[in-house]
Amino acid sequence: MGNRAVDPTRIAVIVGMGLVTYLFRVGPQVLFVGRTFSETFDRYLRYLAYALISSLISTSLFLSGSRFEATAAPHRAVALLAAIVVAAWCRRPLVGMLTGTLLAVLLTWLRGG
Amino acid sequence: MRHSSPFREGAKAAIPVWMAFIPVSFALGVAAKTYGLHLWEILLMSALVYAGPAQFAALEPLASGKSALQVLLMTVLINLRFVVMSAAMAPYFRRVRRITLLLCLQLLSASSFVLPYAHFRQDSRSLSPEETGRNLQYFVGVGLTSFSVWVLGSGLGYWAAFRVPAGFEEGLRILLPAYFASLLTSELRGRTALLIGITAGVAAVPGALLNATWGWLGTAFVIATLGWGIERWIRRGSR
């Protein structure tokens, strides 16, 4: 498997996927380039970024595809909370991340997973 | 005192991203081999698309010869999130040369959005050309190193068919969300920002369960807009 010749149709589809994704990446930059935003719109974009980051965090932590990982959710929530508290307390995101990660591994191990 | 360059700072900040990218990109390489894709096809896909969910989702349709339109439509739906991320980043690169910016934007991913965003200073309106240039260098430091790990990882995964031991999966799973949350903790200042962050995080899961592609993006958009709108309304009322 995988040792046969490269399929030109598949290459074309992959290039198409790349082009579509690249357009999404550059589109807003092309539209907004050189513009100075009002204080209000600048704040809106900031809030949008916060909402997006929070959403990315919770979906990548609690979902697997479109399935809610109910068994793992409680200890992941505890580990995430520990990461946040430690990061806020010592003002070092890396320490927060390590705390959360180690706690998640420890809780999984204690659970016998 | 010797100051490190923004590129190097970005690369250092991206180390946890590499750690998270290695197993996922390896898994992508393994899956690509399983579906019968050629090594060059997965390397090309990782370099051109550089978006895990869309790449994983495209493996089966590509392997089974489904229509190109179907694969492209799926890519549009899954990767639409980059529009919002790119828009949120736009003010921070405002004065960068367009051609440089266009070349560097291929490196935009969820990680190369979150890390630089948390690093940039908040008020984007008074940024000098030097500052926007440094912002871009930092972004490239995060993005280029993570991108390289992703492409190499998918190739190595294909080659070695390596699998992560089960015991490590949970730790790797929480690595990036814990890092992003730790970064966001220092960034969220003010009641509105905090409320938006918490509400979006909570609402994203039911949103994604209702619609896997659009749900979390839609809830983030609605909550940010509502929070911003309510804050404006309260400010107007108190004048």
Side-chain angles (χ1 to χ4, degrees):
Chain A
M1 254 184 172
N3 292 324
R4 58 198 162 74
V6 173
D7 179 350
T9 314
R10 275 206 316 227
I11 294 291
V13 176
I14 291 168
V15 171
M17 286 173 71
L19 277 175
V20 164
T21 311
Y22 182 68
L23 282 177
F24 287 164
R25 285 181 168 119
V26 299
Q29 302 279 341
V30 171
L31 284 175
F32 295 146
V33 78
R35 288 195 190 173
T36 308
F37 299 126
S38 66
E39 194 265 339
T40 315
F41 189 58
D42 190 65
R43 194 182 312 122
Y44 174 66
L45 286 179
R46 212 157 61 220
Y47 289 166
L48 191 58
Y50 296 153
L52 270 179
I53 296 169
S54 293
S55 303
L56 276 170
I57 292 168
S58 57
T59 50
S60 59
L61 200 60
F62 300 119
L63 296 177
S64 187
S66 56
R67 186 173 55 85
F68 179 64
E69 297 195 303
T71 325
H75 80 250
R76 284 183 189 165
V78 170
L80 183 72
L81 202 64
I84 291 170
V85 170
V86 171
W89 175 66
C90 69
R91 294 172 191 271
R92 286 173 191 266
L94 274 176
V95 180
M97 177 202 78
L98 285 174
T99 309
T101 306
L102 290 174
L103 189 61
V105 173
L106 182 72
L107 290 173
T108 311
W109 180 69
L110 286 174
R111 215 179 42 145
Chain B
M1 199 175 92
R2 192 168 166 267
H3 294 281
S4 60
S5 69
F7 179 90
R8 196 179 295 175
E9 277 180 55
K12 269 161 79 176
I15 291 171
V17 176
W18 311 345
M19 287 159 68
F21 270 19
I22 289 170
V24 184
S25 58
F26 262 65
L28 179 70
V30 173
K33 192 171 193 172
T34 312
Y35 277 108
L37 264 70
H38 195 276
L39 173 65
W40 293 109
E41 289 173 330
I42 191 61
L43 284 175
L44 186 72
M45 196 202 276
S46 287
L48 291 183
V49 183
Y50 183 41
Q55 287 184 247
F56 273 104
L59 291 179
E60 194 279 324
L62 275 177
S64 61
K66 288 205 169 70
S67 81
L69 192 67
Q70 195 178 333
V71 181
L72 291 179
L73 189 65
M74 185 194 67
T75 309
V76 166
L77 292 175
I78 297 177
N79 288 344
L80 201 66
R81 67 190 189 282
F82 289 126
V83 174
V84 191
M85 290 178 194
S86 179
M89 296 276 268
Y92 297 92
F93 301 141
R94 208 176 52 239
R95 298 178 184 203
V96 172
R97 280 180 61 205
R98 289 181 194 197
I99 185 72
T100 315
L101 185 60
L102 293 183
L103 288 173
C104 294
L105 280 167
Q106 174 62 14
L107 306 173
L108 181 67
S109 68
S111 307
S112 60
F113 161 66
V114 178
L115 265 61
Y117 195 87
H119 174 81
F120 299 157
R121 72 184 178 86
Q122 288 207 350
D123 188 1
S124 67
R125 288 170 303 135
S126 55
L127 287 174
S128 67
E130 291 75 27
E131 281 173 304
T132 54
R134 280 200 295 273
N135 282 347
L136 188 72
Q137 283 181 45
Y138 185 90
F139 169 78
V140 174
V142 174
L144 189 61
T145 53
S146 308
F147 175 84
S148 308
V149 168
W150 181 259
V151 177
L152 282 174
S154 57
L156 285 173
Y158 186 96
W159 174 72
F162 171 86
R163 285 182 198 278
V164 182
F168 290 97
E169 274 177 3
E170 190 59 21
L172 291 168
R173 177 74 192 260
I174 199 172
L175 195 81
L176 269 192
Y179 189 39
F180 290 168
S182 301
L183 285 168
L184 196 63
T185 304
S186 56
E187 177 73 14
L188 287 177
R189 292 186 200 103
R191 210 168 20 188
T192 314
L194 196 64
L195 269 173
I196 287 173
I198 294 169
T199 317
V202 172
V205 172
L209 287 173
L210 281 174
N211 186 312
T213 311
W214 295 94
W216 69 274
L217 198 64
T219 50
F221 189 75
V222 167
I223 287 164
T225 309
L226 270 178
W228 172 77
I230 292 169
E231 188 192 56
R232 281 194 77 188
W233 180 69
I234 292 170
R235 280 186 179 189
R236 276 185 191 165
S238 62
R239 269 180 205 159

